[in-house]
Amino acid sequence: SDPVSVYPNPVTDYVNIGTMEEAETGIRISNQTGKVVIDKTVTASAFEPARIDMTSCAPGIYTVTVTVGGNEYKEKIVKL
């Protein structure tokens, strides 16, 4: 029942971000030092999640901030 799903975790190449309803979705991914490595706006839904390429990101822990419907959701992911 979480309005946002971020998977898989851990990530090897791509992370998928789904939302309960199709909506314009802001996605910001930051590394452990707070540097934003990915910042984009996409349309995402439960059946058509945003697919974010993380192949160029170094291994480590990242914070994914998803903004949808005026609300912000944060989740930690591990990049292998």
Side-chain angles (χ1 to χ4, degrees), residues 4-48:
V4 171
S5 58
V6 179
Y7 61 94
N9 191 7
V11 176
T12 51
D13 298 325
Y14 294 87
V15 63
N16 298 299
I17 299 170
T19 57
M20 292 286 276
E21 296 178 11
E22 185 172 317
E24 191 169 276
T25 306
I27 299 168
R28 192 170 64 244
I29 301 177
S30 309
N31 64 16
Q32 285 179 289
T33 63
K35 180 181 182 223
V36 175
V37 295
I38 294 171
D39 191 0
K40 55 174 56 184
T41 301
V42 298
T43 300
S45 70
F47 298 109
E48 291 187 26

Side-chain angles (χ1 to χ4, degrees), residues 58-72:
I61 298 171
Y62 291 82
T63 301
V64 179
T65 304
V66 180
T67 306
V68 62
N71 296 311
E72 193 174 88

